[in-house]
Amino acid sequence: MLCAGKGTRMRSEKAKVLHPILGKPLCFYPLMRALELGASPVVPVVGHQAGEVERSVRDLFAAAPLRFALQKEQRGTADAVRSAEEALKDFKGRVLILYGDVPLVRRETLAALATAHEQGGGVLSLVSTRLEDPTGYGRVIREGGLVKRIVEHKDCSPEERLVRECNAGIYLVDSSFLWAALANIKSTNAQGEFYLTDLVEMAASQGPVPAIEADFNETAGVNDRVELAARAKDLQLRINAWHMRNGVSLADPATTYIEEGVTIGPDTEIAPGVSLSGATVVGRQVTIGQGCVLHASSVADGTTLKPYTVLEEARVGERCILGPFSRLRPGTDLAEEVHLGNFVETKKARLGRGTKANHLAYLGDAKIGSGVNIGAGTITCNYDGVNKHVTELGDGVFIGSDSQLVAPVKVGDGAYVGAGTTVTKDVPSGSLAVSRSPQVNKEGWVERNKARLKKSAESGPAKSDKVSAG
């Protein structure tokens, strides 16, 4: 996997293969396809920002059979592949050569290449593509229908430039041929580089060179941010189409963002502007309203997310109703049939079955039982400026509106907390906690106040307000 290039046209200090596309580095996708095909070991050839690229790949594929190779100087694609020889010195078999900036390559295409190689009986097979305007691409030159060589655009004759079959840069090569052939490649070309494409002519001299044809979009690389965005759009539409063919309804696929690796059950309905990222798992018959954002979260069957609900590293049980404008932060764990309404925020909170907080509440560092009713304006005061503390509410608790629960504190099963109460000590089961000041009614106060104001206005400003004539 060639990942050594700087990517000058990206106009970035970041290595090209690390630029994100649908939430993952560009190189993730071809690496994943190779691993899905069963490639082992996988050797990313790194160069520019080698340390950063290696760390990123290891983080993405911690359990994968990875070996890294370093291309010290950027001297062409053949030199890059040759840099991997030491990493593969004990490997005998077929070597798949891919680029780290080709995110749309399909596993099916690579599998077809492997089949063609087995059936062809040669030492090298390749992927080609056809273009209406092949300017800038290496041409696949055939004689009598057989692939004989690849000629880079700058080295093409006028006749060769008329050829529309182009090299996609993906090869499957027998290792017994590869390393010896690479040692014989020269840099006598227009760019003074060691071309990997020279392998094709050497292979053709020994036998057939099968070429399978793929769509250009599948084999297209990324050279700048415009192409990065274009590849991301194509990849997104492909992912969305896959989900729709598997029973998921997307009201507007063009505005729905779903990363690779997200799982969605059938009969789920997703409105426009939804974003599903990370290791998100959505169950069956879930309704996700417009503008919802889910990251690394799970949502069980039959749940409804109303518009603009945000979930981050949260778990939601079956048949819950959330939103609109609910926010579930990391560590939130909801049992079945929980209701969280508009402007309710949770963090490290476990809520039992059937518990409801329908509006304007903050529940952080909380253990909340089943069948609890939490009134508007309720907050758990979980932070004392140094440490976080836990609030515990038993089953069937009722929390009146505008209450503050100052942690650490426990409210027992079936207890009531009156509206406007600040709870600073534990409430026993079945008790009523009220901490508001006694109410005082002053009868006739409104009329007396009106009369006072009227008399004050008629008498004019007080002496202290008059301007002195002296």
Side-chain angles (χ1 to χ4, degrees), residues 113-193:
L113 177 63
T115 299
H117 189 78
E118 289 174 0
Q119 296 175 350
V123 295
L124 181 148
S125 303
L126 60 88
V127 178
S128 67
T129 188
R130 290 187 182 273
L131 295 171
E132 289 296 324
D133 179 9
T135 301
Y137 292 89
R139 307 306 202 277
V140 176
I141 306 301
R142 295 175 180 264
E143 295 176 7
L146 301 176
V147 175
K148 290 299 180 181
R149 63 188 179 277
I150 293 174
V151 182
E152 295 294 341
H153 178 82
K154 291 182 179 181
D155 300 306
C156 282
S157 67
E159 294 77 16
E160 289 169 337
R161 290 193 177 192
L162 298 176
V163 175
R164 293 193 300 157
E165 185 179 11
C166 298
N167 175 38
I170 300 173
Y171 307 93
L172 195 60
V173 193
D174 289 353
S175 61
S176 57
F177 163 79
L178 177 61
W179 308 119
L182 285 172
N184 291 319
I185 290 179
K186 309 298 181 184
S187 59
T188 53
N189 51 63
Q191 298 187 92
E193 293 185 350

Side-chain angles (χ1 to χ4, degrees), residues 456 459-469:
S456 177
S459 63
K463 285 187 176 182
S464 58
D465 293 332
K466 293 181 180 179
V467 177
S468 172

Side-chain angles (χ1 to χ4, degrees), residues 213-451:
E213 194 169 310
D215 182 78
F216 171 72
N217 281 348
E218 181 180 349
T219 63
V222 171
N223 293 302
D224 57 31
R225 294 175 193 259
V226 174
E227 293 179 351
L228 181 70
R231 301 293 94 79
K233 193 65 176 178
D234 290 341
L235 182 59
Q236 185 65 91
L237 291 175
R238 178 192 293 181
I239 292 171
N240 290 358
W242 186 90
H243 284 292
M244 288 188 285
R245 291 191 181 102
N246 283 275
V248 178
S249 293
L250 305 183
D252 186 3
T255 64
T256 303
Y257 177 95
I258 304 174
E259 291 184 0
E260 181 169 320
V262 170
T263 301
I264 309 173
D267 291 321
T268 285
E269 298 181 0
I270 299 177
V274 168
S275 174
L276 307 178
S277 62
T280 289
V281 177
V282 178
R284 306 167 64 94
Q285 299 179 336
V286 173
T287 300
I288 302 180
Q290 181 165 327
C292 289
V293 177
L294 282 66
H295 175 72
S297 297
S298 65
V299 179
D301 299 349
T303 283
T304 296
L305 306 183
K306 295 182 179 180
Y308 305 104
T309 293
V310 177
L311 278 64
E312 182 181 2
E313 298 177 24
R315 192 197 75 83
V316 179
E318 295 182 359
R319 301 179 303 281
C320 292
I321 300 176
L322 309 181
F325 297 101
S326 294
R327 183 187 180 195
L328 280 61
R329 291 168 56 193
T332 295
D333 188 346
L334 308 185
E336 301 85 357
E337 300 173 356
V338 170
H339 292 193
L340 299 180
N342 46 288
F343 305 107
V344 173
E345 178 181 352
T346 62
K347 189 271 295 182
K348 281 188 180 179
R350 294 208 314 266
L351 278 67
R353 180 171 184 157
T355 286
K356 298 178 180 180
N358 280 322
H359 24 233
L360 301 167
Y362 171 68
L363 307 173
D365 295 281
K367 298 177 182 179
I368 300 173
S370 301
V372 174
N373 188 90
I374 299 172
T378 295
I379 61 172
T380 57
C381 306
N382 57 327
Y383 185 49
D384 63 8
V386 178
N387 298 306
K388 299 290 180 69
H389 301 281
V390 175
T391 297
E392 297 185 39
L393 306 182
D395 295 340
V397 166
F398 180 94
I399 306 294
S401 297
D402 199 28
S403 294
Q404 300 86 46
L405 306 171
V406 183
V409 71
K410 296 180 180 181
V411 179
D413 294 348
Y416 273 55
V417 173
T421 294
T422 299
V423 179
T424 58
K425 57 184 179 180
D426 292 352
V427 180
S429 298
S431 300
L432 169 65
V434 181
S435 68
R436 68 176 77 101
S437 300
Q439 180 174 321
V440 176
N441 294 333
K442 297 184 177 181
E443 297 186 11
W445 178 89
V446 173
E447 290 300 323
R448 291 195 300 272
N449 190 55
K450 287 180 179 179

Side-chain angles (χ1 to χ4, degrees), residues 79-94:
D79 179 66
V81 174
R82 192 174 180 182
S83 301
E85 184 174 4
E86 178 65 22
L88 291 172
K89 64 182 179 180
D90 59 346
F91 177 80
K92 305 296 180 184
R94 297 170 299 170

Side-chain angles (χ1 to χ4, degrees), residues 91-109:
F91 177 80
K92 305 296 180 184
R94 297 170 299 170
V95 177
L96 175 66
I97 300 173
L98 283 170
Y99 290 85
D101 67 342
V102 184
L104 292 173
V105 65
R106 297 175 184 267
R107 179 178 58 183
E108 294 82 357
T109 298

Side-chain angles (χ1 to χ4, degrees), residues 22-80:
L22 268 63
K24 297 177 177 66
L26 188 55
C27 62
F28 166 86
Y29 299 94
L31 279 166
M32 177 60 80
R33 301 294 85 84
L35 289 166
E36 289 172 347
L37 196 66
S40 179
V42 174
V43 183
V45 178
V46 297
H48 179 64
Q49 294 186 342
E52 290 86 340
V53 174
E54 181 172 344
R55 280 192 293 274
S56 178
V57 171
R58 288 194 185 279
D59 287 345
L60 288 167
F61 302 102
L66 296 173
R67 301 177 186 177
F68 287 84
L70 176 65
Q71 184 186 20
K72 296 179 181 179
E73 298 179 50
Q74 308 295 299
R75 301 191 301 171
T77 50
D79 179 66

